[in-house]
Amino acid sequence: MIKKILFIFFIAVIAYLIFLVVNRPRVQKTYLVTGHGNPGDINVYEIQGSSYKKIRTINTGYKFVYAVRLGDIYNNGQQSIIAGVSNSFFAQPYGCKIIAYDLKNYKKSIIDDVGDLRCKDLTIGDVENTGTNDIVLATHGEGFVNIYSWNNGKWSKQNIETNFIKQVDDKERTNHRVSNSELTCQLCVVQTAVHIVKIGDVDNDGKNEILASMSSPLELQGTNEISFLRMYKKVNGIWKGMTIDRLSGREFRSITIGDIYHTGSNTLIVGIGSPRGLPASLFSYTYKNGSWEKSTIYNDPQETNMKGVVLVDPNHTGKQQILLATGFPQAKIFLINWDGEKFIYNQLGTVASLFPKIKDGQFNSMVALANAEENNVNFYIGGMITFPKQNIGWEGTNKGFLVKYIQKNNGWKTVIIDKSSILGMDIGF
């Protein structure tokens, strides 16, 4: 009888232990991916709490990874790495591709051989407002805005914009196309540069739109550049484009969407830069009564680029702030908060100050991200370092930075994770 009781007790203990193992709390893995230039690698980091570990370096076979994202592009609950890669003008084959890698065995697949010079940006979201993810691509050259959807085991593509600057040139009898005699790629069209694409409900009608910043090409010399902030909206099953704002002499760059004024409605936040050394700015656009209300968030007297912009809630108050990482020459890092009447600017530092041995470099933030780690919201800033005295441009450089800002005792500690050129970056689960 005693043996029988002990046997039953032993079986119960084993069953309980199995139950604990099967039902133990799962540690959710967070991944950080970075896309690089010269060479075009993708680094994959695993983040747990405040620690990080590089677990993979993927050689894409191209010189530049302009954009890299993490997302459920097949709508099966599995995350993939998606990247836009190209050799730009620097090597053949010319033209960009969208490629993907799964996060288990890193098997590579090609989503599209796009054909334009650079796959400059891509984003993932519910474009069609059907509850499933799509990919939106932006290119430099002919300036495509494409939508990719996974249906019935294959990719379908919609082109909703091609070479918008050409349309303006044709209408206004201007010329912003780079002559092919100035290009190593004799068959390439270089006329429209689409810088950033985003998905979000910017007019607060309950449906997502596509936002894109675009300009005449950076390679164009001796002609005043033109730039447009565009919105694409599906109306009665047809994609229609409209211009929100137009600039001359500077360029719309970054786009972020969120409730920065704490009103319960979305606002468009747009960073403006200049390749000609003019000061950079940050503006907001709010859709009210059928029109766009434009306001200045920040003007910088020194920095000429505002590419790294993301919304964060560092104090867990439910109110979003702007994390701004500027570029050229110092890469200033700001938290910007609306207090109900005005914006409050808290500068965390500069990336340049973290590299005191580099005397002749200019620091340009390409992307800013935020991630909640151990009840704190910490920041990742990625970018590049160019050297004007050496005539090394932003594509030619292989030097850069990945810096982590860690919130500590009402202050900020910094950790330099990488010193290679970073063109794109994303965080996901």
Side-chain angles (χ1 to χ4, degrees):
M1 184 69 179
I2 294 176
K3 289 182 179 181
K4 185 176 180 180
I5 293 174
L6 289 174
F7 178 76
I8 294 172
F9 176 76
F10 177 76
I11 294 298
V13 169
I14 294 297
Y16 179 67
L17 292 174
I18 292 173
F19 173 81
L20 290 178
V21 170
V22 172
N23 294 278
R24 71 185 184 277
R26 301 287 183 181
V27 177
Q28 187 178 46
K29 291 184 179 180
T30 301
Y31 295 95
L32 171 71
V33 291
T34 55
H36 300 256
N38 284 324
D41 292 339
I42 298 172
N43 282 338
V44 184
Y45 297 86
E46 187 178 294
I47 300 172
Q48 290 188 350
S50 60
S51 65
Y52 61 90
K53 178 176 66 173
K54 184 164 69 174
I55 60 174
R56 191 88 173 192
T57 295
I58 303 170
N59 182 353
T60 67
Y62 288 82
K63 292 184 71 67
F64 305 101
V65 179
Y66 289 104
V68 62
R69 296 285 183 266
L70 286 164
D72 182 9
I73 58 174
Y74 299 106
N75 296 293
N76 60 0
Q78 301 296 319
Q79 296 288 302
S80 297
I81 302 170
I82 308 94
V85 299
S86 168
N87 289 323
S88 190
F89 297 109
F90 293 89
Q92 295 190 24
Y94 300 123
C96 64
K97 288 183 172 64
I98 309 175
I99 58 177
Y101 299 88
D102 67 74
L103 268 173
K104 289 185 177 180
N105 56 22
Y106 299 96
K107 182 180 177 182
K108 177 181 176 180
S109 60
I110 296 177
I111 295 175
D112 189 26
D113 187 349
V114 180
D116 208 2
L117 190 62
R118 303 183 186 108
C119 291
K120 196 61 182 66
D121 190 36
L122 56 84
T123 190
I124 301 166
D126 184 8
V127 173
E128 302 284 356
N129 296 287
T130 60
T132 57
N133 285 330
D134 305 283
I135 301 170
V136 180
L137 172 73
T139 72
H140 275 203
E142 290 188 77
F144 298 148
V145 179
N146 291 344
I147 301 172
Y148 298 86
S149 305
W150 181 255
N151 293 310
N152 301 317
K154 62 181 181 181
W155 289 102
S156 62
K157 177 168 69 172
Q158 301 178 68
N159 172 249
I160 64 171
E161 189 69 274
T162 299
N163 208 348
F164 182 74
I165 299 300
K166 182 181 186 302
Q167 299 172 43
V168 175
D169 282 343
D170 290 345
K171 182 178 180 179
E172 300 181 358
R173 297 182 180 180
T174 53
N175 181 23
H176 291 89
R177 177 170 175 170
V178 179
S179 172
N180 285 85
S181 63
E182 301 175 18
L183 303 175
T184 56
C185 177
Q186 295 298 303
L187 297 178
C188 290
V189 174
V190 179
Q191 194 166 10
T192 298
V194 186
H195 298 286
I196 294 291
V197 283
K198 293 289 184 184
I199 300 168
D201 180 13
V202 290
D203 59 4
N204 296 290
D205 67 346
K207 294 183 178 181
N208 287 332
E209 294 84 35
I210 297 174
L211 284 301
S213 60
M214 59 186 67
S215 72
S216 49
L218 303 181
E219 295 82 7
L220 192 67
Q221 301 294 321
T223 301
N224 198 23
E225 61 249 84
I226 54 175
S227 185
F228 297 83
L229 180 61
R230 299 270 291 164
M231 180 174 79
Y232 298 90
K233 189 178 184 69
K234 203 166 191 179
V235 180
N236 298 323
I238 300 173
W239 285 99
K240 294 187 176 181
M242 57 202 75
T243 296
I244 295 174
D245 199 5
R246 174 175 178 165
L247 282 176
S248 179
R250 295 195 296 170
E251 299 168 357
F252 294 107
R253 296 282 177 82
S254 57
I255 297 174
T256 306
I257 301 165
D259 182 15
I260 59 165
Y261 292 109
H262 315 143
T263 62
S265 298
N266 284 334
T267 292
L268 191 60
I269 304 101
V270 181
I272 293 171
S274 169
R276 319 301 175 205
L278 298 174
S281 302
L282 192 68
F283 291 108
S284 72
Y285 295 83
T286 304
Y287 191 70
K288 292 182 177 180
N289 302 319
S291 62
W292 294 94
E293 182 181 283
K294 180 180 180 180
S295 299
T296 301
I297 298 174
Y298 176 66
N299 291 315
D300 195 284
Q302 298 170 322
E303 302 291 280
T304 64
N305 199 21
M306 292 202 178
K307 196 76 176 286
V309 184
V310 70
L311 299 184
V312 301
D313 182 12
N315 302 319
H316 306 284
T317 61
K319 294 183 177 180
Q320 294 179 318
Q321 299 185 38
I322 300 170
L323 172 62
L324 170 65
T326 68
F328 299 132
Q330 298 182 58
K332 299 176 183 179
I333 312 301
F334 287 96
L335 273 175
I336 302 175
N337 182 44
W338 177 255
D339 71 354
E341 296 181 355
K342 63 184 180 302
F343 284 105
I344 307 298
Y345 311 98
N346 176 22
Q347 185 173 342
L348 309 186
T350 69
V351 174
S353 66
L354 305 178
F355 294 82
K357 293 183 179 180
I358 297 179
K359 303 300 183 183
D360 60 346
Q362 292 195 348
F363 296 78
N364 181 37
S365 304
M366 292 294 288
V367 62
L369 295 174
N371 185 51
E373 301 163 14
E374 295 184 343
N375 298 319
N376 288 324
V377 177
N378 299 324
F379 307 143
Y380 293 87
I381 312 297
M384 63 183 69
I385 306 172
T386 59
F387 297 87
K389 291 182 180 180
Q390 301 175 31
N391 197 27
I392 298 176
W394 69 273
E395 282 190 323
T397 186
N398 61 3
K399 291 181 170 51
F401 53 87
L402 173 56
V403 178
K404 181 179 180 181
Y405 282 75
I406 305 168
Q407 198 172 22
K408 290 286 186 180
N409 301 322
N410 297 320
W412 295 90
K413 173 186 174 184
T414 55
V415 176
I416 298 173
I417 299 175
D418 194 4
K419 296 182 180 180
S420 57
S421 176
I422 291 177
L423 306 180
M425 184 165 65
D426 200 10
I427 283 179
F429 301 101

